[in-house]
Amino acid sequence: MTQGRTRGELDDGGDDVTPEPFLPMPALPPHWSARVPESADLPRLEELRSRDKAPWTGSGRVDGLAVESEVIGTKSWTRRQVVVLDPDGLIRAWVTVHDRAAGRTMLHVYVDRSAAVPTDLGDELAAALYAWAEDRARDMSRLREIDETRLDASPFQEDQRQLGWLTAAGYRRRRVWLHMTRPVQADEELPPLREGVAVRRVASHDNGLPVAGDLQIVHEMLERSFEDHFNSYRESFPEFVQRLREDPGHRWDHWWLAFVTDADGEEYPAGAIVCSVQPPNDAGKEGSYVEYIGVNRLARGRGVAKGLLHTVIADAAARGRDRVDLEVDADSPTNADQLYRSLGWELEYVTESWFKDIQVEPGQPSA
């Protein structure tokens, strides 16, 4: 990507000059500046993210490995991002723009809301960063040679200030998402799979890597099962696999496939579930997280979803974890939230999807 080009050369003494990416910077108030984040910034960025979520989730705990991956690791490869510094050189804001897939750009803006940044100034910074994010989304779209994209932000439902920033930037609320958690007990008993349903892990080779055919089945199951869902769009197989592998909590042995047997005795793929590892909570316990679960429409009503979820719960219990978390569309056409509640999941907090659809004029990307 263009962001990977650097300008840097050796000085007369032969020491390396720190490379600086060719990335346009946002328009900021006098004496404020912006730059690409560095490894030394990680503690401060974790603090900004923690303060952003704590009032709405009941916990300010942040996955430090996830922040590291996003800023200087594998997640950073599909993102454009800058930090904003005040006149004293302290980081007061952070914006990240994610090239999720063709026609889909995710973003988040973090602004220090402490007394050190007055409300009017914080609002000005936010406006500048949303404008910068929109420009970077256009750049990404030009690189993909597409003429439109959807900007997608995910604020907490009760964060009125963030909602105000989004409204001012031209975004509109489109969906509500329930973030749910289910306690896991080491000795709990789970019902067996329904007759005619089988669940197994994605097969792996002797070297531990998954069998490509199984991964392709998972991808196809998820793509097909979400075709009738809100905001569905096609994500290519390479993008899908790469994006999930970017997560430090990713584990190949947390992918499962479900199969059903039809009246003729033929077995066919019926569903898939992809999970990851959550970092330890305040009690020091890891959790499992359901990234995706999808059921083939032809197999709905046969207990496939329950079988997959019970498999994940049992796996979490066997690993000594204390919870399984997930996110679900509050208006799911399959009433998935009701299924989760019936299986013991409870609401933890709520986020929303805010969209802005933009047209992309032909031309060269600015970065």
Side-chain angles (χ1 to χ4, degrees), residues 276-344:
S276 59
V277 182
Q278 294 188 95
N281 55 16
D282 293 336
K285 291 283 190 177
E286 289 183 333
S288 293
Y289 187 84
V290 178
E291 302 283 353
Y292 295 102
I293 177 172
V295 176
N296 186 331
R297 289 202 279 291
L298 298 177
R300 289 176 183 171
R302 299 194 56 175
V304 173
K306 287 183 178 180
L308 288 167
L309 291 167
H310 285 149
T311 298
V312 171
I313 294 168
D315 178 79
R319 295 176 187 272
R321 297 175 185 166
D322 69 351
R323 66 199 183 281
V324 176
D325 292 353
L326 52 79
E327 173 190 284
V328 62
D329 182 352
D331 296 311
S332 167
T334 59
N335 296 316
D337 58 316
Q338 296 180 25
L339 169 64
Y340 298 138
R341 293 181 192 278
S342 72
L343 298 180

Side-chain angles (χ1 to χ4, degrees), residues 177-197:
W177 301 92
L178 310 178
H179 295 254
M180 309 182 79
T181 186
R182 184 197 189 280
V184 171
Q185 306 297 329
D187 57 351
E188 66 178 291
E189 296 184 5
L190 298 168
L193 295 171
R194 190 181 296 184
E195 184 178 356
V197 177

